[in-house]
Amino acid sequence: MEKKGLSHTAYGGIPGDQYEPYVPPTTRLPEMTVVSLIMGILLALLFGATNTYLGLKVGMTVSASIPGAVIGTAIIRGLLRKQNILETNIIQAIGSAGESIASGVMFTLPALIIWGFKDQFTLAKIAVVATLGTILGVLFVVPLRKNLTVDEHGILPYPEGMATAEVLVAGQVGGQSASGILWGGLIGGIYKLLSGAFGLFKEEIEWNIPGFKNGVFGFDILASLMGVGFIVGLEIGLYMFAGGLLAWFVLIPLISYFGAGVPNPIFPSTVPIAQMDAWAIWSKYIRYIGAGAVAAGGFISLGRSLPMIINSFKAAMGGLAKGQSGEQKRTNQDISVVAIFFGVLGVFITALIVPQMKVTWMGALSIVLFGFFFAAVSARIAGLVGVSNLPVSGMTIAALLASTLLLKAIGIVGTKGMIAAITTGATICVAISIAGSLAQNLKTGYIIGATPKYVQIGVLIGGIASTIVVGWVILMLNQAYGLGTDKIPAPQATLMSMVVKGVMTGTLPWALVLSGVVIGIILAVLKLPILPVAIGLYLPLHLSTGVLAGGVIRWFIDRAFSGETLKEKVEKGILFSSGLIAGDALMGIVIAFLAYKGLSEKVAIFSKLPIAGNPWWGLVMFVVLGLILYRYVAGNKKEA
């Protein structure tokens, strides 16, 4: 078969039903093989563990499709000496599901631990919630598949899905290499070992601004943050940084100034503002303002997507009504409508009767209805902005608010209501995350000529396989450091816990939340991206500065190169950055295990050195890491 690229055929005004994929429908190649299943599941476990750590640490995850495609190509073509793009595609599809499970679980269920309900947070509960959410996320996207990938071909870009297809095709003709991920992983792991285990330098550095009451500037000098910053770019990094500056250089100093003379505590704090430092003010006041801004961003993005939502539902109903014809091309085969019906029914019954759920009939109904609603939205939005920019937290907050109010309306309140609400929201959140990932993978499969049914089954397998490792990592991190602490802040789960508890108990400080909503509305009026600024407002400034550093390095690369050379350099940098994230996260899990076993102090051999606690020394090490990233991407030859 003659090898061809994608750029001249993938769009080009060709209607979806006339597009010729890389592998024609008449060509049959092995797809779901023993090799693709085993390697895909291993990648799902890897991406699930690393993204769980990253999400609990910094509140965000990164798409695993492109790294999965590169690693899958290295395995199939490099190690096994085979040339089968469809088998490689199944590896990355299964592997990418691990990141989706990590997002869905760690954004929500750790709220149980934050509330103190540790007996409710078990591996069995995580497995049931994640499995039900995965099933819904997959099944609800199946009837949308033709509309999203074929009918909307050339309209919905699916940027990461297209990029993954390009990587897979490039791997068939000798392009791309897994060495960038491996080198990035090695550097990221060593860097984390020196800081987190040996204590050579602090991972969080900050300076107090003289003459500026509670004015603090700081960095979280993590390899993962630099990697995230390079991937998302300077613009997103600046928006996050702007939100951080608003919180730490405007709101916190103002609260300190006006609250200095107030002798009594101001709700929700239990101590006077005069006795609070910057971190205490951020914890008791700023996070609620940030939560309001994030919620506003989520609702506004959903409102803007309303026409897409309506179209998605029409397509879904049309797909369910038409069913499947008896004679189908290989590239048009989906999971059957019968399987969809009984699968959804099984989820409803399981959510109703299994002890690990305890969501009541209202919760079970909410899981199915809101799961369908937001799965359709997620699949569509992923087609516009990609999975990495999918507003999962915003959609989850909306689902949580609705579910909490419905449960409260039928008298399910207090501890029982909080547990039922967060379990319902977690199941929906997993469905949202899986739906976006599957829609992206179906687009990749459509471009290269994969069989949709195998992609759908692969994501289902990868999601279910990842549940235990994701739960184990969360439990271990909690035992080692405690969720919601400065070591593992779990920002998204903390946000969800605040929303549910506040609504269920009526103790939400609405004045702070509504002020955040107003900030979100102002950003919308100014036509600025709400969610990046809102996330920067909600998270500590230290995280935003770390992300910005990676964005600055990306900016230098963008300035130094152009054309095809720039594209190659950026792809090289994204792979190396993905390695930095993975190396940081994996070593972080190892270090957490040492802390869990009480061995942290024994391995911290450099922590007593006078230089180890110096913030400037930590900044030097972070700059060195940045230079390594730039040097690796730019290489020895700079081209204008």
Side-chain angles (χ1 to χ4, degrees), residues 88-299:
T88 306
N89 179 59
I90 292 297
I91 292 177
Q92 73 82 19
I94 296 174
S96 67
E99 180 266 330
S100 300
I101 295 298
S103 298
V105 171
M106 64 86 188
F107 275 15
T108 50
L109 282 182
L112 294 169
I113 295 178
I114 294 171
W115 288 331
F117 306 151
K118 294 183 180 180
D119 60 318
Q120 294 293 324
F121 191 85
T122 63
L123 283 178
K125 187 181 187 74
I126 295 168
V128 173
V129 168
T131 299
L132 296 184
T134 299
I135 293 171
L136 287 185
V138 170
L139 296 184
F140 284 151
V141 171
V142 171
L144 298 173
R145 196 264 313 167
K146 184 176 182 298
N147 173 258
L148 294 173
T149 62
V150 180
D151 299 341
E152 299 285 345
H153 183 62
I155 299 173
L156 290 177
Y158 281 99
E160 291 171 334
M162 289 298 301
T164 303
E166 291 279 5
V167 169
L168 289 171
V169 172
Q172 295 300 295
V173 295
Q176 294 296 334
S177 171
S179 62
I181 295 177
L182 297 177
W183 278 112
L186 180 64
I187 297 298
I190 292 173
Y191 183 88
K192 182 70 174 182
L193 184 68
L194 292 175
S195 60
F198 295 159
L200 182 60
F201 55 94
K202 295 174 64 176
E203 294 183 338
E204 185 177 277
I205 58 177
E206 66 179 27
W207 297 267
N208 293 316
I209 309 300
F212 199 25
K213 176 65 173 175
N214 279 336
V216 174
F217 184 80
F219 271 92
D220 275 358
I221 50 174
L222 303 174
S224 54
L225 290 182
M226 183 169 287
V228 168
F230 188 95
I231 291 172
V232 303
L234 179 62
E235 185 175 5
I236 297 297
L238 283 172
Y239 284 129
M240 290 182 63
F241 184 63
L245 287 180
L246 175 61
W248 290 77
F249 277 71
V250 178
L251 297 179
I252 290 178
L254 282 176
I255 292 173
S256 301
Y257 177 76
F258 289 108
V262 180
N264 298 320
I266 300 176
F267 180 79
S269 176
T270 56
V271 299
I273 291 176
Q275 299 176 19
M276 301 171 71
D277 61 8
W279 281 101
I281 293 174
W282 170 80
S283 176
K284 295 298 182 181
Y285 298 110
I286 302 302
R287 285 198 303 173
Y288 289 101
I289 299 173
V294 171
F299 283 120

Side-chain angles (χ1 to χ4, degrees), residues 491-531:
Q492 297 284 8
T494 303
L495 171 62
M496 304 304 171
S497 70
M498 289 162 44
V499 170
V500 173
K501 184 177 181 180
V503 172
M504 191 63 73
T505 63
T507 58
L508 199 65
W510 285 105
L512 297 174
V513 174
L514 291 176
S515 66
V517 171
V518 172
I519 290 175
I521 294 172
I522 292 172
L523 293 171
V525 171
L526 295 175
K527 297 184 178 180
L528 295 173
I530 306 171
L531 283 172

Side-chain angles (χ1 to χ4, degrees), residues 196-197 590-605:
V590 172
I591 294 169
F593 184 75
L594 294 176
Y596 173 69
K597 292 295 184 180
L599 301 174
S600 295
E601 294 185 2
K602 293 183 179 180
V603 299
I605 54 179

Side-chain angles (χ1 to χ4, degrees), residues 556-624:
F556 280 122
I557 295 296
D558 291 341
R559 297 272 294 182
F561 302 95
S562 61
E564 284 298 315
T565 303
L566 173 61
K567 181 182 177 183
E568 293 172 4
K569 295 297 183 183
V570 169
E571 290 176 353
K572 186 177 181 182
I574 288 175
L575 293 178
F576 189 84
S577 296
S578 298
L580 286 179
I581 294 168
D584 186 337
L586 288 175
M587 187 58 68
I589 293 171
V590 172
I591 294 169
F593 184 75
L594 294 176
Y596 173 69
K597 292 295 184 180
L599 301 174
S600 295
E601 294 185 2
K602 293 183 179 180
V603 299
I605 54 179
F606 299 130
S607 61
K608 301 299 182 182
L609 295 176
I611 199 173
N614 190 312
W616 293 105
W617 167 240
L619 185 61
V620 167
M621 295 299 293
F622 197 53
V623 170
V624 170

